[in-house]
Amino acid sequence: MKNILVIALIFISSLAQAQVTSKEEVAPELVQKREEQKKEITKNYLALKNSFLTSDSLGVVKNAEALKNSLKNFKFKKLTLEKMNEATTSRKEMVELSTQLTATKNINKQRKIFETLSVKYWEQASKFKAADATLYLQICPMTGAVWTSDSKEIKNPYYPKNMLTCGEVKASL
């Protein structure tokens, strides 16, 4: 009986050691892949925002498609079940909004959709933000519409012709 207990303990300790070793070997690659996914989502959102600065409705369609694809590939980690459900629901809504952006070439309709998308994006930005990035929540005081930027400099995507520099930074991550 003692021998079986000793063998079982040795087996369990070697299994635990193998798991620790395995995690140490795989973790850097997974961490790097996850950071690349976060950078891709942020890059695609910012490219979408910049398409509005130039009122490029075809650029909006292209960048909305890229954002949609990068969001679909992203998996949330280290969240409670409640937070996971909330984040997953929010991501699905962002994918749907991105799909709506690709369905119209009317820049004014696209801007209305982008308003909602930007609110949803900021709600999840802390999960999408790469470790080495700083993001800023900016707001148009005339309309209350928000957007996310990687610069403190205001470039209003809702009114680029009339009020390009109208806005303020409300928060940062």
Side-chain angles (χ1 to χ4, degrees):
M1 185 69 170
K2 265 184 172 178
N3 289 342
I4 294 174
L5 184 60
V6 169
I7 291 171
L9 286 173
I10 291 171
F11 176 74
I12 290 172
S13 68
S14 67
L15 183 63
Q17 182 60 41
Q19 287 177 336
V20 168
T21 304
S22 154
K23 285 181 184 175
E24 289 170 358
E25 290 171 6
V26 175
E29 293 166 7
L30 292 178
V31 168
Q32 181 181 354
K33 180 180 179 190
R34 188 158 175 77
E35 282 299 302
E36 288 170 10
Q37 287 178 325
K38 289 177 176 184
K39 286 179 182 180
E40 186 74 13
I41 290 170
T42 301
K43 178 187 78 131
N44 290 333
Y45 172 86
L46 294 172
L48 177 61
K49 176 197 58 103
N50 291 336
S51 294
F52 286 109
L53 291 174
T54 58
S55 298
D56 178 5
S57 66
L58 295 177
V60 168
V61 169
K62 181 184 108 186
N63 291 314
E65 187 68 34
L67 177 61
K68 178 176 73 170
N69 291 335
S70 60
L71 284 167
K72 282 182 175 181
N73 294 329
F74 186 78
K75 304 287 186 254
F76 294 102
K77 304 280 185 201
K78 299 179 185 175
L79 298 175
T80 64
L81 182 59
E82 182 181 332
K83 292 287 184 189
M84 179 71 77
N85 288 337
E86 182 182 298
T88 302
T89 299
S90 185
R91 182 185 59 207
K92 284 179 184 173
E93 290 169 351
M94 284 187 280
V95 167
E96 176 56 34
L97 290 164
S98 296
T99 301
Q100 290 176 28
L101 284 170
T102 65
T104 182
K105 291 183 179 58
N106 180 313
I107 194 74
N108 293 325
K109 287 181 182 178
Q110 289 174 327
R111 281 193 171 101
K112 290 304 283 179
I113 296 166
F114 184 67
E115 280 186 50
T116 306
L117 176 63
S118 289
V119 170
K120 296 286 180 194
Y121 182 84
W122 183 257
E123 289 172 357
Q124 301 302 321
S126 64
K127 295 169 190 74
F128 298 142
K129 183 182 87 59
D132 61 351
T134 302
L135 296 175
Y136 302 93
L137 177 65
Q138 298 178 340
I139 185 168
C140 174
M142 307 296 253
T143 64
V146 298
W147 67 94
T148 302
S149 180
D150 59 347
S151 168
K152 285 184 180 181
E153 181 183 357
I154 301 295
K155 290 191 177 177
N156 189 326
Y158 301 108
Y159 302 101
K161 290 181 182 166
N162 304 342
M163 299 187 286
L164 178 63
T165 59
C166 181
E168 60 185 277
V169 175
K170 292 298 272 186
S172 66
L173 290 174

